[in-house]
Amino acid sequence: DTGVSQDPRHKITKRGQNVTFRCDPISEHNRLYWYRQTLGQGPEFLTYFQNEAQLEKSRLLSDRFSAERPKGSFSTLEIQRTEQGDSAMYLCASSLVSGDTQYFGPGTRLTVL
Amino acid sequence: AQSVTQPDIHITVSEGASLELRCNYSYGATPYLFWYVQSPGQGLQLLLKYFSGDTLVQGIKGFEAEFKRSQSSFNLRKPSVHWSDAAEYFCAVVNFNKFYFGSGTKLNVKP
């Protein structure tokens, strides 16, 4: 069990550029979650998948954000036309079943200049 | 709406002293409750969780937490803090598959 991994760990981009992050969950976990964490705050829910189906999206997830989990394994989170307000840590987590412990990856820290 | 409150933003304790971090939640039913720890630049690591049963739960690294339904609290405790415990601690409640986190308590440990 290698845990949840995320790539890249850090991303610096200019305002208006598109960025994509990847998350590889624990292999047998069906559920995959994305969170955003800003300085001094706890993680905030963005979206989650049950296998390849995206079941819920937070209102925090604007139209510029899209997430996929095409084969029910890894997931990508894309942000189009980045804004400075998108600067945050993006965390991925996975769990075996609903309501169970979520195991978190190390996060991708995004800085938009 | 569900909410999790961690009233202490920063706490400083001396190494070897006892620790209690407070967490209050707002939720109708019996919640699933968690404590996570986050070290700088790291993801969140699970310390302990409460689903049901014994209201005093033991976790890793010598931490424990007690669920008190009457006070809607799930406070985290440790009898003797080590310098390596310096980190940020998050309480979380699960509702319909989503975790709701508190804003965290940053623990500083004095030598």
Side-chain angles (χ1 to χ4, degrees):
Chain A
D1 180 358
T2 56
V4 179
S5 61
Q6 293 186 246
D7 184 69
R9 295 291 304 276
H10 303 273
K11 179 70 177 178
I12 300 175
T13 191
K14 293 182 179 178
R15 188 162 49 102
Q17 298 294 304
N18 299 343
V19 294
T20 300
F21 310 141
R22 176 179 171 125
C23 170
D24 286 88
I26 294 171
S27 59
E28 65 268 25
H29 285 187
N30 298 320
R31 297 214 168 216
L32 186 148
Y33 305 79
W34 286 99
Y35 293 84
R36 181 171 69 187
Q37 185 179 21
T38 53
L39 209 58
Q41 297 297 318
E44 294 176 292
F45 169 81
L46 292 179
T47 188
Y48 85 92
F49 293 83
Q50 166 79 28
N51 298 315
E52 65 275 9
Q54 187 174 18
L55 296 187
E56 189 168 349
K57 295 193 291 186
S58 163
R59 57 180 172 78
L60 293 175
L61 218 63
S62 76
D63 291 345
R64 296 184 297 104
F65 287 71
S66 62
E68 294 182 342
R69 193 182 183 197
K71 296 181 180 178
S73 56
F74 73 92
S75 174
T76 58
L77 178 68
E78 182 183 15
I79 309 174
Q80 296 182 325
R81 305 181 303 280
T82 53
E83 301 173 356
Q84 288 184 324
D86 297 331
S87 295
M89 176 79 88
Y90 290 84
L91 295 167
C92 176
S94 69
S95 70
L96 192 56
V97 296
S98 168
D100 198 4
T101 301
Q102 293 187 12
Y103 295 88
F104 284 80
T108 295
R109 181 167 295 284
L110 172 67
T111 302
V112 181
L113 302 175
Chain B
Q2 293 72 36
S3 69
V4 180
T5 303
Q6 293 181 247
D8 304 306
I9 298 173
H10 288 99
I11 282 185
T12 299
V13 300
S14 298
E15 191 168 16
S18 64
L19 171 71
E20 182 169 29
L21 303 182
R22 294 182 291 165
C23 173
N24 292 93
Y25 63 89
S26 166
Y27 185 62
T30 300
Y32 292 174
L33 295 158
F34 298 77
W35 276 98
Y36 283 85
V37 60
Q38 187 176 38
S39 298
Q42 302 297 314
L44 287 89
Q45 181 184 18
L46 178 71
L47 285 176
L48 48 79
K49 61 187 178 185
Y50 172 77
F51 284 1
S52 64
D54 192 346
T55 56
L56 184 64
V57 292
Q58 303 296 321
I60 62 170
K61 304 185 181 185
F63 285 92
E64 66 177 28
E66 186 171 13
F67 169 59
K68 291 186 177 179
R69 185 192 305 277
S70 61
Q71 298 177 18
S72 297
S73 69
F74 189 56
N75 294 349
L76 182 71
R77 299 194 294 250
K78 186 169 184 177
S80 177
V81 169
H82 188 262
W83 64 265
S84 61
D85 294 324
E88 191 156 19
Y89 292 79
F90 292 94
C91 180
V93 61
V94 174
N95 178 40
F96 293 110
N97 309 309
K98 293 185 294 186
F99 272 46
Y100 294 88
F101 286 87
S103 54
T105 298
K106 196 163 288 185
L107 174 65
N108 184 41
V109 180
K110 290 191 302 186

